[in-house]
Amino acid sequence: GMRAVPAFVQKVAGAKNIGRAGFIVLQDTLLAEKATANWCNSCPTAIPVSNRLKDRYHDEAIVLEVHAYDPIECTPYLTGISRWLQGYPSFIYNRMKDYVQNSMNNDQVLQEALLAPTTAKIDMQVERSEEDNSLLTIHTQTEFAKAYDNASGLYKLGYAIIEKSVQGVVQKNSSSLLQNGEYYFLPYSIPGDIQVYHNVCREGSTAFKGVESSLPEQIETGTNYDFTHSLTIPEEFVQPTIWKSAASTPRTPQQLN
């Protein structure tokens, strides 16, 4: 299992040097991983929660959908995240806790995640091969807010490929409260042509174990570390324009994996 430490992913440098030796303040980004499934009739109650996160925090919140045991499951990602889950639906914020959590309605867990210092900033550019439409080349520059001894490989870069919107999957629904928005009025089986899932994880082979040697054994404050990695979009999902990718700095608990 992996922890995903807070990392600000952007294309334009956003670090602020506040003049203290060996320390940099980085803009924060919340990573919210939503565990859900089409067979889970209570999972639509999580959709207004993720919508509120995006409406309130905009680009400062990244909400990823991780599906379980349904037609759009990403097995490597689900396997990695399962040790954090108590049930469905669940929200895991920044994945910094070692214990199981279901944080969907726990504002304290959300506030702790928002107040946690950002560990790293990642500038990322993605190129798509003209010869092979399924091949992505990802160039990253990573800058840490503090120095770390990384000889044990505690910090590595991990990647996930996210599909921005998915339709065609029937969603079970037992929403019984008006606060669940339109899902209160929708039937028990929501047709796949009107149910839309957003930011669905499709490729996560490195998201939890990370890429070996993607970061150096000694990490220094304020140094940019370049790394290039290739990912292949699963053949059954290759389309011209629907893909984006995300990078994080997973951290491996030393007694795990």
Side-chain angles (χ1 to χ4, degrees):
M2 289 282 183
R3 301 177 187 176
V5 300
F8 177 45
V9 181
Q10 61 165 28
K11 291 187 177 180
V12 180
K16 179 182 178 184
N17 193 326
I18 61 173
R20 292 173 56 188
F23 186 80
I24 291 177
V25 173
L26 300 176
Q27 182 177 338
D28 200 9
T29 297
L30 174 72
L31 172 63
E33 293 162 304
K34 181 175 73 173
T36 186
N38 80 315
W39 48 265
C40 168
N41 57 14
S42 61
C43 282
T45 63
I47 295 174
V49 177
S50 57
N51 289 341
R52 286 196 296 271
L53 280 174
K54 289 181 284 188
D55 289 343
R56 181 171 182 180
Y57 299 106
H58 305 289
D59 291 340
E60 295 179 6
I62 300 172
V63 181
L64 305 184
E65 285 202 7
V66 185
H67 281 251
Y69 317 113
D70 70 9
I72 49 178
E73 172 191 314
C74 177
T75 302
Y77 209 118
L78 176 64
T79 301
I81 206 173
S82 290
R83 65 179 292 267
W84 277 270
L85 300 181
Q86 190 176 53
Y88 299 92
S90 286
F91 274 79
I92 294 92
Y93 299 118
N94 285 347
R95 219 180 328 127
M96 285 293 289
K97 304 294 185 182
D98 285 338
Y99 53 78
V100 174
Q101 62 174 291
N102 182 347
S103 308
M104 186 174 77
N105 296 310
N106 191 331
D107 288 339
Q108 180 179 349
V109 174
L110 173 59
Q111 291 303 316
E112 288 177 358
L114 290 169
L115 292 172
T118 302
T119 304
K121 172 177 69 70
I122 301 174
D123 297 329
M124 181 175 63
Q125 295 81 38
V126 181
E127 299 174 356
R128 193 166 190 172
S129 171
E130 294 182 0
E131 292 78 18
D132 183 353
N133 199 35
S134 66
L135 183 63
L136 301 177
T137 301
I138 305 170
H139 306 281
T140 56
Q141 281 193 332
T142 306
E143 180 183 1
F144 279 76
K146 295 195 300 182
Y148 293 95
D149 179 355
N150 195 37
S152 63
L154 196 63
Y155 290 97
K156 304 172 186 175
L157 291 172
Y159 302 86
I161 299 178
I162 311 302
E163 188 171 5
K164 291 191 288 187
S165 62
V166 179
Q167 287 184 270
V169 178
V170 174
Q171 174 65 54
K172 298 300 183 183
N173 173 45
S174 62
S175 299
S176 58
L177 298 174
L178 282 171
Q179 68 189 40
N180 296 325
E182 65 268 28
Y183 287 89
Y184 174 78
F185 303 98
L186 291 174
Y188 178 74
S189 291
I190 303 174
D193 59 342
I194 63 172
Q195 174 65 44
V196 182
Y197 301 100
H198 297 283
N199 293 343
V200 178
C201 298
R202 289 300 211 177
E203 204 287 334
S205 58
T206 68
F208 286 83
K209 65 180 181 180
V211 180
E212 293 294 334
S213 302
S214 52
L215 291 169
E217 293 186 358
Q218 181 59 48
I219 294 172
E220 302 295 345
T221 308
T223 301
N224 282 317
Y225 297 106
D226 297 319
F227 186 71
T228 299
H229 183 67
S230 295
L231 283 178
T232 300
I233 302 172
E235 183 177 354
E236 62 269 33
F237 303 129
V238 175
Q239 295 183 33
T241 59
I242 61 174
W243 296 101
K244 63 181 180 180
S245 58
S248 65
T249 52
R251 184 171 65 185
T252 313
Q254 294 181 351
Q255 300 302 317
L256 300 176
N257 278 353

